[in-house]
Amino acid sequence: MSTEIALFEESFISPQVQAALPEGYTVRPLRANDYERGFLKVLEVLTEVGNQTKEQWLERFNYLKQHNHEYFTIAICNDRENRVVAAGTIFVERKFVHNNGLVGHIEDIAVDANQQGKKLGLRIIEALKYIGAKKGCYKVILDCSAKNIPFYEKCGFTQKEYEMAWYV
Ligand code: ACO
């Protein structure tokens, strides 16, 4: 597989979000060689990531690509430095309820610690909402900590329900 392979079609990327980004930043589907552009490093603001080898990274990337009707991971790149600076995923779940409805789940929103506060997080969410709407989801949901509630409210979300977790 060529290293410049994109996870999914460029047509799922919102032109409005691209236009709203600061100059020198690009929003696009995750690419196979974002391993070298620091994608996993960006995720470290979220939690422990691990020390995946390139081979392990490609194994996961290839799985997501084979399921790219369900998995949409996007990246914002700083073009001059050729680095990933922000990322996020929307996963499209297929339900029976709501007439075989689709629900979008937003996961793993991360902005590099040095790049926070430039509205890149907001743009990632807007871009993921665009994908959810384009796929026909009737709602898009996510889990977050209490301290991030104001951020998601600024992104147009409202608080509903509670998260439950069980760790193996
Ligand atoms: N509390 C209050 N307001 C906030 C917060 C916060 N914690 N974070 C951002 N905002 C506000 C900003 O002030 C801004 O408001 P404005 O429009 O009035 O100026 C607006 O929200 C948009 O902020 P951005 O600049 O887009 O935020 P940023 O690019 O820093 O991204 C994020 C926010 C994603 C939370 C980032 O700080 C980050 O990566 N944090 C660490 C990882 C994390 O917590 N990720 C989310 C996990 S939940 C999930 O993945 C579903």
Side-chain angles (χ1 to χ4, degrees):
M1 173 185 277
S2 155
T3 53
E4 279 295 350
I5 290 285
L7 188 59
F8 58 88
E9 282 174 27
E10 192 71 38
S11 61
F12 281 101
I13 297 296
S14 161
Q16 290 82 4
V17 171
Q18 179 56 53
L21 284 176
E23 211 187 314
Y25 290 80
T26 303
V27 59
R28 56 164 177 71
L30 187 71
R31 291 183 185 166
N33 61 347
D34 283 340
Y35 180 86
E36 284 85 10
R37 294 192 179 99
F39 172 77
L40 294 177
K41 189 85 197 140
V42 171
L43 292 188
E44 284 176 9
V45 298
L46 273 170
T47 187
E48 188 203 324
V49 177
N51 295 306
Q52 289 93 329
T53 61
K54 178 76 191 250
E55 194 185 9
Q56 289 168 322
W57 151 273
L58 283 176
E59 188 186 321
R60 178 51 42 87
F61 182 90
N62 291 338
Y63 177 92
L64 298 183
K65 186 155 175 67
Q66 281 157 17
H67 300 82
N68 67 4
H69 54 294
E70 287 175 340
Y71 288 102
F72 298 83
T73 298
I74 61 170
I76 293 178
C77 225
N78 177 320
D79 301 330
R80 195 170 49 83
E81 293 175 8
N82 197 24
R83 298 291 292 175
V84 172
V85 293
T89 294
I90 183 166
F91 166 70
V92 178
E93 178 200 1
R94 279 153 176 78
K95 288 192 168 290
F96 282 115
V97 297
H98 288 273
N99 286 312
N100 284 359
L102 304 181
V103 173
H105 298 264
I106 285 184
E107 293 284 342
D108 296 348
I109 304 305
V111 177
D112 180 88
N114 296 318
Q115 302 273 336
Q116 291 177 8
K118 296 181 179 176
K119 302 233 190 295
L120 300 183
L122 173 70
R123 301 305 171 214
I124 286 280
I125 297 297
E126 287 174 342
L128 296 176
K129 285 164 71 179
Y130 179 87
I131 294 170
K134 208 170 155 68
K135 288 298 290 181
C137 295
Y138 71 89
K139 69 174 177 182
V140 173
I141 57 177
L142 59 88
D143 292 328
C144 72
S145 61
K147 80 171 167 56
N148 281 333
I149 289 174
F151 166 69
Y152 286 112
E153 284 175 341
K154 294 236 159 119
C155 295
F157 286 75
T158 50
Q159 200 181 345
K160 243 194 139 210
E161 316 287 355
Y162 295 92
E163 181 198 61
M164 307 288 283
W166 179 75
Y167 288 86
V168 181

